[in-house]
Amino acid sequence: MWRVFYNAALVVAFMATYKTAGIFAATVVVMAGVVGEIIVTLARRQRVDKLQWTGLCLVLVLGGSTLLFHNETFIKWRPTGVYWLIAGAFLTSLMVAKRDPVRVIIGRWVSAPDAVWRFLSWSWFVALVAVGAVNIVVAYTMSTDTWVNWRVFVAPGSLLALAVAQATWHRNYILTAWRDHQSEEAM
């Protein structure tokens, strides 16, 4: 849970730095923040997962290229890289491992039919590919101000809206899990 708050704070720091000092300073902030996340994870004696290592590589290569070549295009590719890597992991899980990644993530708390898990996993795959693609369109066709607003508000807001819509649509499974949890606590 600490990672959610850490990453939210990093987004706020990125936005504030961009508004006050520009994209290159904001790139340094995001690079330092991702390195900091790895350090904090290790200091807490937790395992650094593949997504964290991949995110570190992406931010160091693309952020470093942004600073080295003084070209903001590189850092604008980072969100797409993250979204598409996660989508690739979903696709690999679905096609190669024959497992539904959403079930792997939340299936220990919520029970649902196989068709529901498959639908949720495929919809997240499509959403991640789409948000990554739109990021590229925004990066190349709109101002950096517009791209920063897209990156900070619209892209995560779109994914949050998907999560809320899916939770609302499949609320019966969630409510059943909640009732089961309450019954276990009462015993």
Side-chain angles (χ1 to χ4, degrees), residues 72-150:
E72 63 194 42
T73 301
F74 295 106
I75 198 65
K76 290 178 177 181
W77 268 87
R78 181 181 171 265
T80 295
V82 171
Y83 294 134
W84 285 356
L85 284 169
I86 296 169
F90 269 55
L91 185 62
T92 301
S93 182
L94 286 159
M95 300 301 290
V96 177
K98 304 293 185 199
R99 296 177 62 189
D100 296 307
V102 175
R103 178 185 286 179
V104 171
I105 296 167
I106 64 171
R108 62 183 155 182
W109 298 293
V110 179
S111 294
D114 290 345
V116 170
W117 292 119
R118 216 170 1 272
F119 172 79
L120 293 173
S121 294
W122 279 110
S123 65
W124 275 98
F125 167 75
V126 169
L128 290 163
V129 169
V131 170
V134 172
N135 181 71
I136 294 301
V137 171
V138 172
Y140 280 100
T141 64
M142 298 184 187
S143 70
T144 299
D145 276 343
T146 301
W147 175 80
V148 168
N149 287 325
W150 153 261

Side-chain angles (χ1 to χ4, degrees), residues 49-72:
D49 62 40
K50 290 176 187 170
L51 184 60
Q52 285 176 289
W53 286 122
T54 304
L56 176 65
C57 290
L58 276 172
V59 79
L60 292 178
V61 169
L62 296 173
S65 297
T66 292
L67 298 175
L68 181 65
F69 298 112
H70 208 70
N71 183 341
E72 63 194 42

